[in-house]
């Protein structure tokens, strides 16, 4: 059963992610791989249980995964993984 990442940024520089809502990601919601200078502000991630979990969606749905990245700031954000 393949579950894609919702947003997967790889080798990015000078990124601003602001005032966005992600709902019901099938897997990891936002993944930063080898990113530099990332600012995340007012990000709302919601992946509640119930309907989603019973269908296999939303299981292991991390909020933000920061992998091999530098100078990443996350503030004023909300995560509910259910």
């Amino acid at each position: 059963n393949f579950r894609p990442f919702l947003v997967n940024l790889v080798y990015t520089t000078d990124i601003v992610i602001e005032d966005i809502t992600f709902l019901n990601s099938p897997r990891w919601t936002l993944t930063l791989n080898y990113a530099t200078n990332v600012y995340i502000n007012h990000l709302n991630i919601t992946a509640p249980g119930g309907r989603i979990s019973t269908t296999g969606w939303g299981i292991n749905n991390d909020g933000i995964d920061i992998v091999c990245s530098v100078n990443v700031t996350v503030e004023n954000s909300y995560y509910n993984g259910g």
Side-chain angles (χ1 to χ4, degrees):
N1 187 1
F2 177 72
R3 294 180 303 130
F5 298 105
L6 188 60
V7 176
N8 186 21
L9 302 176
V10 182
Y11 292 107
T12 55
T13 302
D14 300 329
I15 300 296
V16 175
I17 299 171
E18 192 165 33
D19 298 321
I20 296 177
T21 297
F22 293 126
L23 295 174
N24 304 334
S25 175
R27 191 174 175 188
W28 299 350
T29 304
L30 173 61
T31 305
L32 305 171
N33 293 289
Y34 302 95
T36 302
N37 301 330
V38 179
Y39 178 69
I40 299 171
N41 187 35
H42 292 118
L43 179 65
N44 180 7
I45 298 173
T46 303
R51 175 184 60 82
I52 296 166
S53 293
T54 59
T55 61
W57 293 89
I59 299 169
N60 190 23
N61 55 353
D62 297 1
I64 302 171
D65 288 280
I66 301 168
V67 181
C68 299
S69 297
V70 295
N71 196 23
V72 176
T73 301
V74 179
E75 59 186 7
N76 306 311
S77 296
Y78 172 80
Y79 171 74
N80 177 6

